[in-house]
Amino acid sequence: MSLRPTIETRRAIPALEGAGVKLHRAFGFQDPSELDPFLLFDDFRNERPEDFIRGFPWHPHRGIETITYVLSGTVEHGDSLGNSGTLGAGDVQWMTAGRGILHQEMPKGNARGQMHGFQLWGNLPAAQKMTAPRYQDVQGTEIPEVIDDDGTRVKVIVGEFWGKRGPVDGIAADPQYLDVFVPAGVKKTFRIDTYRRAFAYIFDGTAAFADASAPGGVLLEKEVAGQEVNIRDLSGDRTLVRFGSGDEITVQAGPEGVRFLLISGAPIAEPVAWHGPIVMNTQEELMQAMRDLRNGTFISPAH
């Protein structure tokens, strides 16, 4: 076994998207090779409806997949293919834009006006960029959860983990998407296939991830359980952790436990030509997409 080093730990930064939705962006619109096959990750979490209610009106996508995971509140969605529906707390939508789709996503708060969800963009390889669009809408009740003896809980959204397989399938990046809770003071190791790029995103509680560059993969000078810990050694809410190569990560939960997403996928390693919600391989393909948008052929049945 080889421990993955922690390449970088950074906080998500505030951003404004759609028609004025306030969110935090962990990565996106930077170096697309950094977390290939993933392009962007947003945390849209608000306590006030005025910060999200205007939503994400009609906009195009081509050449990517968007993964929306709702924790609280709802998201009403519709698209140019005639699909519509509502994602509730715990639900997931995996949309493969393929050759082109127009859609909208309109968040609605819960009874207290709160909204929380995540959106991840995954790239498509050249051979699949012009495939037919498709949706996979998954209710939270369909997502398996594994509970370990120490209280660790893992929801398996995509991929296989601890003998359970997530309900979303047929995804180009062969990803693993896990929602993980580790109780206070517990140290836990998770396997990740060596060929995958991987990151964690902490959204509740605190934790430290072992660093292979430290002697013996040291987490902290003192273990958390039953001892006082310097809080500066722990990463907290809205923190992205990027990992290097290896086949496992180890996390030490802080005094109140930690909940994080653990996401990995197989790199595509192809050229990226990217403008907003359209991601192709060449500038000519990108220009063609813009022409298609202008002349009304963006969502035609064949290209």
Side-chain angles (χ1 to χ4, degrees), residues 177-246:
Y177 191 129
L178 309 175
D179 178 347
V180 180
F181 169 76
V182 181
V186 171
K187 183 192 288 185
K188 202 73 178 174
T189 296
F190 300 94
R191 295 291 309 277
I192 300 175
D193 290 344
T194 55
Y195 70 92
R196 299 172 186 267
R197 293 270 174 80
F199 70 91
Y201 182 76
I202 299 172
F203 61 93
D204 191 24
T206 58
F209 287 88
D211 191 343
S213 63
V218 173
L219 281 158
L220 302 168
E221 290 185 5
K222 294 181 179 180
E223 295 296 326
V224 172
Q227 298 190 49
E228 185 176 348
V229 172
N230 186 343
I231 198 68
R232 290 176 301 176
D233 293 324
L234 300 174
S235 296
D237 186 23
R238 294 194 176 108
T239 298
L240 173 77
V241 182
R242 287 202 301 132
F243 302 107
S245 59

